[in-house]
Amino acid sequence: VYRRGDEAEEGRIIHAIWDDLCRADLVLVELCGGNLNVLIELGMAHALGRPVLAVQRRGEVDLRPRHIEKLRVLAYDDAAGLRQLLDARLAA
């Protein structure tokens, strides 16, 4: 089940995100836009040992901080390309 962190049902959003990350089989991280909350959630996923699929739309400016610049990020062109990445990863 796909869930965005900011769509948490309970008022304590960070706790809901933590709970979702604990249950996740795969964490999808979209790195377009340099959202600090996304980077925090990425760190939480790594701390929990969750598998992460980091993606970024092809042609976007790479805004990753230096300490995560070695993170493998898969590029996609459009929604169909992102879906192909997800399907391939979930099939594996």
Side-chain angles (χ1 to χ4, degrees), residues 2 8 11 14 22-23 26 35-36 38 43-44 46 52 61-62 65 77-78 89:
Y2 168 80
I14 196 71
C22 287
R23 288 190 297 268
L26 176 70
N35 186 326
L36 182 58
V38 170
M44 292 167 64
H46 279 293
V52 171
V61 176
D62 189 350
D77 293 310
D78 53 21
R89 180 63 184 252

Side-chain angles (χ1 to χ4, degrees), residues 66-88:
R66 285 188 56 221
H67 60 282
I68 64 166
E69 65 188 8
K70 293 182 181 176
L71 175 69
R72 180 181 305 233
V73 178
L74 303 176
Y76 66 93
D77 293 310
D78 53 21
L82 178 58
R83 182 63 192 203
Q84 288 176 341
L85 286 174
L86 288 171
D87 288 345

Side-chain angles (χ1 to χ4, degrees), residues 21-38:
L21 289 171
C22 287
R23 288 190 297 268
D25 294 316
L26 176 70
V27 178
L28 175 65
V29 178
E30 168 60 75
L31 293 172
C32 294
N35 186 326
L36 182 58
N37 289 335
V38 170

Side-chain angles (χ1 to χ4, degrees), residues 42-64:
L42 171 62
M44 292 167 64
H46 279 293
L48 289 166
R50 307 319 301 158
V52 171
L53 177 60
V55 298
Q56 184 171 3
R57 185 179 292 270
R58 194 177 316 278
E60 291 282 328
V61 176
D62 189 350
L63 298 173
R64 284 181 289 162

